[in-house]
Amino acid sequence: DTEVTQTPKHLVMGMTNKKSLKCEQHMGHRAMYWYKQKAKKPPELMFVYSYEKLSINESVPSRFSPECPNSSLLNLHLHALQPEDSALYLCASSQEGLAGVSSRFFGPGTRLTVL
Amino acid sequence: AQKVTQAQTEISVVEKEDVTLDCVYETRDTTYYLFWYKQPPSGELVFLIRRNSFDEQNEISGRYSWNFQKSTSSFNFTITASQVVDSAVYFCALSEAYNQGGKLIFGQGTELSVKP
């Protein structure tokens, strides 16, 4: 199994809603990532989990809350989002920890629209 | 400081033409990794290649080839005999081995449109 899966594919939510994005990989990778991508822009790193511990938070607002229940799963909890948070949210994983030696494999993303 | 520059914002070609996507990078590290990703309209970032800084051999994979030149800090990507399915945004990225948690520095991307 060489893929990263993400659910849902599309999500529309109001600014008062609470929702969660889910990511799963079964490649035995020990690092998992959340990226945000706006249209016509490259992905921007949000969070990095290494060995199930939060290693990097790129100064992301607290309305985004990551969670890593186990080595295969990564969640992103959303609460009180703003319309400017509408974007494609990509999950990725890589074999090793934080070192750049490992190739990062991305999921198909969740297209989020905040009304 | 690390930086990746993809000077070509958009390229349009006709099917069967060869096309080269340019990538120029900046880094102070001697150990680093370069990547190319393809992002079709569906949104998924598809991994194409990883190259480490000590391996300057060019690589060919089917219609894809990569030219890594440390002397010019470039890692260019050529598609031979392009096809409509090659239409996508292509990102070049840099990662320094032991710096900043292996953060991937992306270029701005090149949108390739292959017309039938």
Side-chain angles (χ1 to χ4, degrees), chain B residues 5-8 11 20-24 36 75-77 92 110:
Chain B
T5 301
Q6 294 179 255
Q8 305 147 310
I11 300 177
T20 296
L21 282 60
D22 297 333
C23 173
V24 174
W36 276 95
F75 187 43
N76 296 339
F77 173 32
C92 179
T110 297

Side-chain angles (χ1 to χ4, degrees), chain A residues 63-84:
Chain A
R63 57 185 184 269
F64 295 92
S65 175
E67 178 197 17
C68 188
N70 60 56
S71 59
S72 301
L73 292 173
L74 185 65
N75 298 322
L76 185 63
H77 303 297
L78 315 172
H79 175 54
L81 293 193
Q82 304 296 312
E84 58 264 29

Side-chain angles (χ1 to χ4, degrees), chain A residues 11 16 24 27 34 40 44 89 93:
Chain A
L11 178 62
T16 58
E24 192 166 0
M27 294 179 277
W34 279 115
K40 305 279 190 181
E44 297 174 11
Y89 288 83
S93 69

Side-chain angles (χ1 to χ4, degrees), chain A residues 6-11 88-89 108-112:
Chain A
Q6 288 187 245
T7 55
K9 281 192 171 181
H10 301 273
L11 178 62
L88 179 68
Y89 288 83
T110 294
R111 290 198 185 275
L112 174 67

Side-chain angles (χ1 to χ4, degrees), chain B residues 81-92:
Chain B
S82 60
Q83 299 176 3
V84 173
V85 293
D86 296 326
S87 297
V89 179
Y90 291 85
F91 290 99
C92 179

Side-chain angles (χ1 to χ4, degrees), chain A residues 34-92:
Chain A
W34 279 115
Y35 285 83
K36 173 183 177 180
Q37 187 179 23
K38 302 285 269 184
K40 305 279 190 181
K41 295 289 186 184
E44 297 174 11
L45 183 65
M46 300 175 70
F47 302 103
V48 180
Y49 273 82
S50 178
Y51 294 90
E52 301 167 45
K53 294 198 183 312
L54 182 63
S55 301
I56 294 177
N57 176 341
E58 291 284 311
S59 303
V60 179
S62 60
R63 57 185 184 269
F64 295 92
S65 175
E67 178 197 17
C68 188
N70 60 56
S71 59
S72 301
L73 292 173
L74 185 65
N75 298 322
L76 185 63
H77 303 297
L78 315 172
H79 175 54
L81 293 193
Q82 304 296 312
E84 58 264 29
D85 295 322
S86 297
L88 179 68
Y89 288 83
L90 292 160
C91 175

Side-chain angles (χ1 to χ4, degrees), chain B residues 34-72:
Chain B
L34 296 164
F35 303 82
W36 276 95
Y37 286 90
K38 173 184 179 180
Q39 189 172 39
S42 59
E44 181 175 358
L45 270 168
V46 178
F47 166 77
L48 296 178
I49 189 172
R50 182 189 75 182
R51 176 66 55 180
N52 75 56
S53 53
F54 299 110
D55 183 1
E56 282 194 77
Q57 265 194 321
N58 291 331
E59 181 151 343
I60 298 175
S61 176
R63 297 183 296 108
Y64 294 171
S65 61
W66 290 270
N67 184 349
F68 176 28
Q69 293 198 336
K70 287 178 77 170
S71 60
T72 55

